[in-house]
Amino acid sequence: MAAPWEDVLRDIPAIQEAAVVAVDAALLQGVLMRTEGQPNASDVVNFAPFTLLPSAVPSALFEQAYAVQQDFNMLVDAISQNKEFLEHTLASTIKVDNFTARLFRIYTQVLEEGLAQSVFLGINRSDYMFDSGVDGTPALKQIEINTIAASFGGLTSRTAAVHGQVLKVLGKPQEASRLLPNNPSRGLALGIAKAWELYGSPGAVVMFLVEEVQRNIFDQRCVENELWNRNIRVIRKRFRDVFEKGSLDEARRLYMDGQEVAVVYYREGYVPSNYDEQKWEARLLLERSRAVKCPDIATQLAGTKKVQQELSCPGTLERLLPGHAEAVTRIRATFAGLYSLDMGAEGDKVAAMAIADPDHFVLKPQREGGGNNLYGDELRQVLEKVRDSPERTSYILMDKIKPRPAMNYLLRAHSPLQVSECISELGIFGVYVRRGSELVLNEAVGHLLRTKAVEHADGGVAAGVAVLDTPYLV
Ligand code: ADP
Ligand code: MG
C-alpha cells in the first residue's frame, strides 16, 4: 500500500511541528498510559505511543474484517459450549503445557459440579494482517483471536481525533474528514450492561478484575465510565482481593465485601505469571459462581492457539457451525496456513518443513500478551531441540504473514523523532451475550489499528513494540 502521505513524510520541519501538536492532542484526548516507573499512580502520566500519521488500510479488507466478526463471535460461543471438541483438541497440549492444563482442570471441575452461570458474555478481538500475495494483492489473514482481556478498545476511540488534527496541521483537511469515528469502549460497555441487566439483580455490581501492575488503566477507565454513565456500579479488584474477601452463598451468588457481583470482566488471568496458588483458588471461586464471567473459562480455552490451529483442519468449522455454510466460508477465507506439531508422521513432516525454511513460519506456544512467538533462527533451534519429544506439541506452527511496509513516525515518550518502515495489524472488537441457548446480542463494535517497525517480528502495544494508529481507508 502506497502511503498517502509521501509528499509530507520527508518535510522535516512540518513533521516536527505536527509531532508537537500530536503529542498535546493525545494528552488532551486521553490517549494515556501510566509510566513504567510509577505504574500504579496517576500523578505523572505519559501519552500512549502512537503513529504520527494514520496508516493506509484497503477498504475492501477493512469491510471484510467487519463482515466476518459476527461469524467469529458465533464460532467462539459454539466452541465454548462444545466439551468434546475442547477435550479432543487440547488433549495433547495439556499433557505438556502446565498453564493450559491448569485452566482445563478448572474447566472440567466447574462442569462436573454443574454450571451456576446462565448468562454468557463474550468480548473478543480478532486480529489480522494484510498479506501481500505473490502478485502483490493484499489479503486479510487472521493472526489470532483474543477471547480474554482484549485491550485498547478505550484508547483507540480517541486516536482518530488526534490524527485528524495532525492531518489538518499538515494541510490535509479533506483527508482528516475521511477518518472514521470509532468507539469500541461504548460497544464493550453495551455488552457488559446487557449481561448485567440479564443477571437480574439491580443492586449488583460489575467487577473489573485487574492486574497488580496497572499501566493501562485509562484504557479500562473508558469502559468503566460508559458503565457509570448507565448508572451501573463498577469496582476494581485483583485476584488477591478475591482470595481474601470473595465468597459464594448457597445459590453460588458471588459476593465481594458484602456486595453482590453480577459480571466479572477479566483484564487479568491470561498468562502464568498472573497466578500463584491463592490466585488459582480465586479463579476457581469466580468460575464456580453464578456471576457472568467475561470470559468464562471455556471461552478462554476457545481462544488458545491450539484451538485456532484445529479450526483450520478440513471439516472442523462445518462440524462446529452446522447450517452456517456462508459463515464458514467467510471465516475460512481469513485463515493463514496453520499446522499441528502433534506426535506422528504428519507432525514430523511439519517440523522438518519448518526447520528447512524457518523464515516462512512462526512457532507459537500457548501464550498471550506478545513476545512469546519464535521466528527465524530461534524457531529452528527450538524446533530442532524438541522435534523428537512430546514437548513440541505445546507449540503450533503458522505461515508467516508478510505485509507490505509503509513509512511512518512512531511517537513514544522520551524517544527521538525518526521515520520507520512499518507494518500494521487490524483488530475488530466483537461482543455477544447469550442467555441459556439464546444469543441475544451479537455485534462488531469497533476496530483497533496497531503499527510497528518491521524489525520487530513480534509484540503488541503493552509489550512496548507496537503503537496505536488509525486506519485511513484507501
Ligand atoms: P499474542 O497472543 O502474544 O498476542 P499473536 O499470535 O498475536 O500472539 O502474535 C504476537 C505478534 O506476533 C502479532 O501481533 C504479530 O505482530 C506477530 N505475528 C503473530 N503471528 C504472525 C504471523 N503468522 N505472521 C507474521 N507475524 C505474526
Ligand atoms: Mg496478539
Side-chain angles (χ1 to χ4, degrees):
M1 283 150 277
W5 327 118
E6 291 293 353
D7 56 331
V8 290
L9 266 173
R10 309 283 172 178
D11 182 348
I12 303 302
I15 290 291
Q16 279 171 339
E17 186 196 340
V20 172
V21 172
V23 168
D24 288 342
L27 291 164
L28 272 175
Q29 292 293 338
V31 185
L32 302 173
M33 253 189 188
R34 283 177 174 167
T35 63
E36 213 171 338
Q38 282 186 291
N40 286 334
S42 298
D43 301 74
V44 177
V45 296
N46 283 150
F47 59 93
F50 64 103
T51 57
L52 177 63
L53 293 155
S55 293
V57 167
S59 56
L61 302 191
F62 186 80
E63 280 160 26
Q64 186 189 351
Y66 263 95
V68 73
Q69 187 56 42
Q70 285 168 308
D71 304 327
F72 271 118
N73 290 347
M74 191 169 63
L75 176 64
V76 169
D77 188 45
I79 296 168
S80 78
Q81 297 171 78
N82 193 326
K83 178 163 183 271
E84 195 207 320
F85 174 80
L86 283 173
E87 247 169 21
H88 157 83
T89 302
L90 295 172
S92 58
T93 309
I94 60 178
K95 279 190 199 136
V96 287
D97 186 80
N98 285 334
F99 181 62
T100 312
R102 196 82 200 242
L103 293 172
F104 198 83
R105 210 153 82 209
I106 294 181
Y107 168 63
T108 12
Q109 207 170 329
V110 294
L111 277 186
E112 271 163 22
E113 186 181 16
L115 292 185
Q117 180 178 349
S118 61
V119 176
F120 296 83
L121 164 64
I123 291 181
N124 62 54
R125 199 190 68 220
S126 183
D127 291 337
Y128 308 89
M129 281 185 176
F130 314 114
D131 195 27
S132 53
V134 261
D135 62 348
T137 317
L140 187 77
K141 290 295 159 196
Q142 186 182 52
I143 295 293
E144 64 157 346
I145 189 160
N146 302 280
T147 60
I148 181 167
S151 55
F152 294 108
L155 296 190
T156 194
S157 64
R158 286 129 195 269
T159 59
V162 177
H163 285 123
Q165 193 170 346
V166 167
L167 290 181
K168 286 179 192 168
V169 169
L170 291 169
K172 297 181 179 298
Q174 213 91 46
E175 289 85 343
S177 69
R178 289 193 48 217
L179 296 177
L180 300 171
N182 179 37
N183 192 351
S185 50
R186 186 177 303 148
L188 305 190
L190 193 89
I192 296 173
K194 188 74 195 167
W196 175 84
E197 181 197 319
L198 293 177
Y199 179 86
S201 179
V205 303
V206 170
M207 176 164 79
F208 279 42
L209 197 89
V210 297
E211 289 177 281
E212 298 284 338
V213 173
Q214 297 171 37
R215 273 195 81 187
N216 202 17
I217 189 167
F218 299 106
D219 183 54
Q220 300 164 4
R221 291 285 196 211
C222 293
V223 185
E224 277 178 51
N225 287 352
E226 295 279 350
L227 291 166
W228 284 108
N229 289 344
R230 293 178 155 81
N231 291 318
I232 296 173
R233 178 168 279 279
V234 179
I235 59 173
R236 295 175 60 87
K237 299 288 172 191
R238 297 157 301 181
F239 273 134
R240 177 151 49 108
D241 305 313
V242 175
F243 178 79
E244 285 166 6
K245 295 178 183 149
S247 64
L248 304 186
D249 71 5
E250 71 290 342
R252 281 192 268 160
R253 281 184 282 258
L254 173 67
Y255 289 87
M256 281 296 297
D257 297 323
Q259 275 179 312
E260 185 177 1
V261 177
V263 179
V264 180
Y265 173 46
Y266 289 102
R267 293 293 294 251
E268 152 81 320
Y270 52 91
V271 285
S273 60
N274 291 155
Y275 293 95
D276 57 24
E277 281 312 311
Q278 293 188 346
K279 291 173 184 174
W280 279 117
E281 220 170 286
R283 178 76 197 255
L284 177 61
L285 182 91
L286 298 177
E287 293 302 321
R288 291 184 57 229
S289 79
R290 176 177 292 269
V292 182
K293 274 77 64 182
C294 179
D296 67 343
I297 197 128
T299 306
Q300 181 174 357
L301 289 169
T304 52
K305 304 214 163 42
K306 182 62 192 175
V307 165
Q308 181 187 6
Q309 176 264 306
E310 181 70 26
L311 293 176
S312 74
C313 297
T316 304
L317 288 176
E318 284 82 354
R319 274 199 302 281
L320 288 165
L321 296 176
H324 293 281
E326 287 176 4
V328 165
T329 306
R330 280 190 296 265
I331 290 172
R332 185 166 286 134
T334 69
F335 285 173
L338 287 147
Y339 312 91
S340 164
L341 285 161
D342 281 359
M343 301 312 282
E346 195 54 37
D348 291 346
K349 246 178 23 201
V350 168
M353 169 179 82
I355 286 168
D357 193 8
D359 288 333
H360 278 99
F361 300 99
V362 182
L363 187 63
K364 299 190 174 189
Q366 310 304 309
R367 292 292 174 271
E368 303 293 329
N372 303 297
N373 300 335
L374 301 165
Y375 305 82
D377 282 341
E378 215 184 342
L379 179 161
R380 179 192 284 142
Q381 282 160 21
V382 168
L383 212 43
E384 273 173 347
K385 211 174 92 210
V386 301
R387 71 187 292 178
D388 296 320
S389 101
E391 203 188 325
R392 80 179 191 200
T393 60
S394 65
Y395 297 92
I396 61 143
L397 189 75
M398 183 174 182
D399 282 343
K400 190 168 180 187
I401 313 297
K402 297 194 168 133
R404 214 173 113 199
M407 304 307 280
N408 208 330
Y409 292 83
L410 308 183
L411 303 180
R412 286 196 175 87
H414 313 298
S415 294
L417 189 64
Q418 64 186 47
V419 72
S420 310
E421 217 184 344
C422 298
I423 54 176
S424 302
E425 185 169 344
L426 175 70
I428 307 292
F429 287 95
V431 176
Y432 60 88
V433 176
R434 173 167 52 83
R435 179 173 40 191
S437 59
E438 182 202 3
L439 211 53
V440 293
L441 187 149
N442 178 10
E443 286 181 20
V445 298
H447 55 268
L448 165 71
L449 192 71
R450 292 171 299 167
T451 292
K452 65 178 184 181
V454 286
E455 55 266 27
H456 296 287
D458 208 90
V461 179
V465 172
V467 307
L468 301 172
D469 198 347
T470 299
Y472 181 79
L473 300 190
V474 292

